[in-house]
Amino acid sequence: MGDVNKTRRKMIFRTLQGVTLAAVGGTFWAGFVHENAQAELVLRPPGARPEPDFLATCIRCGLCVEACPYDTLRLGAYGEPVPVGTPYFKPREVPCYLCEDIPCAVACPTDALDLVGLTDEDGELDVSKSRMGVAVVDYNNCIANRGLRCDACVRACPYIDDAIYIDTRRNPRTGKHAMLVPVVDADYCTGCGLCEYACVTEEPAIIVLPRDVALGKAGEHYELPPPKFTPEEPSDEI
Amino acid sequence: MRSRLRRLYHRYRFLVLRRVVQVGILFLFFAANAWGWTVLTGDLSSSRLFDRITLADPLAVLQLLLAGGAVAVEVLLGAAIVLVAYALLGRAFCSWVCPVNLITDAAEWTRNRLGFREPPLMYLNRKMRYIVLVMVLVLSFLLALPVFEFVSPISAAARGVAFGMGMGWALLLAIFLFDLFVVRHGYCGHICPLGAFYSLISRFRVVRVRHVKDNCTLCGACFAACPETHVLSLVGKHDGTVNNPECTNCFRCVEVCDDDALFVSLTGGWSE
């Protein structure tokens, strides 16, 4: 009788020890994983699914990185502010050159980079459909907005006049000169970062941010469509 | 001289072959990213052989599935190939492919060279790895993230070699020190959920170590060499094959046996 109780007590105790170890270990583990997956300012390759879905689908193999002919893509390593093992790029170092055959997305074995969103109606790959991020201009530091003649970002854009265009404005400082200010249209911007790479200022005055970080959302109940930006025709007055 | 060479060959043939395979795979991964070789691209979580055959880590794929990832058929097939291969070969991944084996074997080698015979700093049950495996599956489901892939030293090592280590070396150093000073065979033999996973699927493996009791002199060399000593429970007791699936088929016992008491065998028939 006494022996039976001892065995049972021991078993219960051992079980509780195991459960405690698993609970404590699991908490730290889950905490690290959760924290590591939170990186918000990460730019993904073309065709990447929305971030939570991407993190649950990417197997962290690096085949996209190896497929990239420009060495744009890198895999996140420990110590970098990127979920570990996942592909990303930093446009200021190497932007995405938007290959027409999208080798990175084609190489993906899990469809974390999904070709569905990169295919047009005819079933052809169309890299202009990629939405890696959106370029955002810091007008305080954009030298074009100070009246200097710079259109580096606009010229660098593969979708010039759609994704980014020059808005001609009167220079209020001199009262008689034009300012050629770059304006991004998020509807067309792929987030390739060629503009950020080309920007001549010490720190880029145009940077690519993930779309869910940079873009707002008006809400379904606003029935007015968004304004269609069209570059203003320069008037004869200038 | 000749017999000495023969003895060296006999004693290290599998070990050398294993190191060649382990380092070779890492080298091919490195060469793929560094020089564009296409023999074996990717890393241990998923790779492509000759740009054609996709292979995938079945446990990684299982985590993605539990996390709710929209995993493509291609990688499911790749995982199936690997799964079937190790179901036949046994837990050979651990001793023939896994880069962490290089680290834990180095720890064991250091331990022996320094003559450590201290008791472990803490007690770990060898069954703990199965609990860790269950935790991998449960947490992957709960967090909707492949949780082992975030902390796996195996992925960290292979990925690190091919794509850059970052701070990953700290994790690998920690495992070396853990095996060296805390628990002998600590990581691979007690904690690793991937090893546990491969143990579970290799119950019906074809390749096994076979023991001939009559040749055994009970010298204990195999027990000293084996990283999963308990699988050798039949040695010196009765004829038969090592049936415990925690055996990694490293064949170290076969090569250290001087008495022809241990062989590599395909279940039932051919023996090495």
Side-chain angles (χ1 to χ4, degrees):
Chain A
M1 183 67 183
D3 279 352
V4 172
N5 273 337
K6 259 185 194 165
T7 323
R8 188 167 64 182
R9 178 167 301 185
K10 195 175 162 189
M11 204 196 72
I12 292 172
F13 189 70
R14 291 294 294 275
T15 310
L16 286 176
Q17 275 183 319
V19 169
T20 308
L21 195 64
V24 173
T27 306
F28 279 101
W29 187 357
F32 170 76
V33 169
H34 185 72
E35 195 65 25
N36 190 262
Q38 293 307 309
E40 275 198 323
L41 299 178
V42 179
L43 298 178
R44 300 298 187 189
R49 291 165 182 274
E51 189 67 6
D53 203 11
F54 179 82
L55 286 174
T57 309
C58 171
I59 199 165
R60 289 107 168 118
C61 65
L63 284 168
C64 53
V65 175
E66 285 169 356
C68 178
Y70 297 99
D71 290 342
T72 300
L73 295 176
R74 285 194 266 154
L75 281 194
Y78 289 102
E80 289 173 12
V82 178
V84 105
T86 57
Y88 72 105
F89 71 106
K90 287 184 170 174
R92 190 61 166 176
E93 289 164 22
V94 192
C96 171
Y97 289 91
L98 295 165
C99 313
E100 282 181 8
D101 52 349
I102 327 180
C104 51
V106 171
C108 180
T110 62
D111 286 359
L113 305 179
D114 194 3
L115 292 176
V116 172
L118 298 174
T119 311
D120 62 20
E121 305 81 54
D122 306 328
E124 301 283 323
L125 286 179
D126 181 1
V127 75
S128 74
K129 284 174 170 278
S130 53
R131 293 290 179 268
M132 297 169 270
V134 62
V136 176
V137 183
D138 169 10
Y139 288 106
N140 282 11
N141 286 295
C142 171
I143 56 171
N145 200 36
R146 295 183 185 185
L148 295 177
R149 179 74 173 80
C150 175
D151 57 3
C153 55
V154 181
R155 298 287 159 199
C157 181
Y159 305 108
I160 182 169
D161 286 344
D162 284 328
I164 189 166
Y165 59 87
I166 290 174
D167 189 21
T168 50
R169 297 174 192 168
R170 184 180 291 274
N171 186 334
R173 184 153 50 204
T174 66
K176 56 186 171 187
H177 297 98
M179 296 200 302
L180 309 178
V181 178
V183 177
V184 175
D185 185 345
D187 282 353
Y188 292 94
C189 179
T190 60
C192 67
L194 282 160
C195 53
E196 179 178 337
Y197 185 68
C199 182
V200 302
T201 53
E202 199 171 298
E203 294 290 329
I206 181 166
I207 63 165
V208 178
L209 292 172
R211 294 178 77 87
D212 50 358
V213 171
L215 297 181
K217 189 180 179 191
E220 297 296 329
H221 55 290
Y222 291 99
E223 290 185 2
L224 284 171
K228 204 70 231 159
F229 292 108
T230 39
E232 242 176 64
E233 287 299 317
S235 67
D236 298 331
E237 276 177 46
I238 294 174
Chain B
M1 184 62 198
R2 201 182 154 78
S3 69
R4 198 180 138 78
L5 273 178
R6 176 163 288 186
R7 207 180 128 72
L8 272 177
Y9 165 77
H10 185 270
R11 180 145 288 216
Y12 293 108
R13 64 210 144 130
F14 293 120
L15 186 63
V16 170
L17 200 58
R18 275 170 50 210
R19 295 296 177 245
V20 169
V21 173
Q22 284 168 327
V23 175
I25 287 172
L26 288 180
F27 176 75
L28 289 175
F29 283 148
F30 176 81
N33 194 36
W35 310 308
W37 289 20
T38 53
V39 184
L40 187 67
T41 51
D43 64 22
L44 282 179
S45 57
S46 183
S47 57
R48 245 180 228 129
L49 252 182
F50 299 108
D51 248 353
R52 257 160 225 244
I53 306 164
T54 302
L55 303 171
D57 171 354
L59 182 59
V61 171
L62 190 57
Q63 288 171 71
L64 296 178
L65 288 173
L66 284 166
V71 180
V73 178
E74 181 184 353
V75 85
L76 291 176
L77 285 175
I81 295 171
V82 174
L83 199 69
V84 170
Y86 288 125
L88 298 174
L89 293 171
R91 201 186 142 195
F93 172 84
C94 299
S95 56
W96 289 79
V97 177
C98 184
V100 173
N101 177 256
L102 291 167
I103 295 163
T104 56
D105 273 4
E108 172 70 5
W109 183 84
T110 314
R111 207 169 236 279
N112 290 336
R113 277 309 282 253
L114 299 178
F116 275 159
R117 289 290 177 273
E118 310 306 315
L121 253 180
M122 60 197 271
Y123 168 79
L124 290 181
N125 192 311
R126 279 192 182 267
K127 298 289 173 211
M128 193 178 127
R129 51 189 143 183
Y130 298 102
I131 298 174
V132 177
L133 177 59
V134 170
M135 284 170 68
V136 168
L137 303 180
V138 171
L139 286 178
S140 290
F141 177 74
L142 290 179
L143 292 181
L145 291 167
V147 291
F148 185 53
E149 300 312 301
F150 279 82
V151 295
S152 164
I154 305 152
S155 310
R159 202 194 304 124
V161 167
F163 301 101
M165 194 62 87
M167 290 295 292
W169 62 266
L171 182 61
L172 303 178
L173 178 66
I175 284 183
F176 177 79
L177 295 175
F178 182 74
D179 266 40
L180 182 54
F181 293 122
V182 184
V183 180
R184 187 173 171 226
H185 302 304
Y187 182 73
C188 303
H190 299 77
I191 297 171
C192 183
L194 188 56
F197 177 80
Y198 282 131
S199 292
L200 290 178
I201 62 153
S202 60
R203 201 151 286 270
F204 303 105
R205 67 195 184 281
V206 176
V207 185
R208 289 171 204 230
V209 171
R210 192 165 61 83
H211 177 56
V212 179
K213 188 206 155 208
D214 285 348
N215 291 349
C216 180
T217 57
L218 297 176
C219 71
C222 52
F223 285 101
C226 181
E228 301 272 355
T229 323
H230 56 290
V231 308
L232 292 174
S233 56
L234 80 167
V235 169
K237 298 204 183 87
H238 55 85
D239 284 357
T241 51
V242 170
N243 293 333
N244 189 321
E246 282 165 8
C247 170
T248 66
N249 273 349
C250 72
F251 306 142
R252 195 74 191 112
C253 56
V254 175
E255 50 190 4
V256 298
C257 182
D258 285 330
D259 307 306
D260 287 339
L262 289 160
F263 300 92
V264 179
S265 77
L266 296 177
T267 320
W270 171 87
S271 64
E272 188 256 14

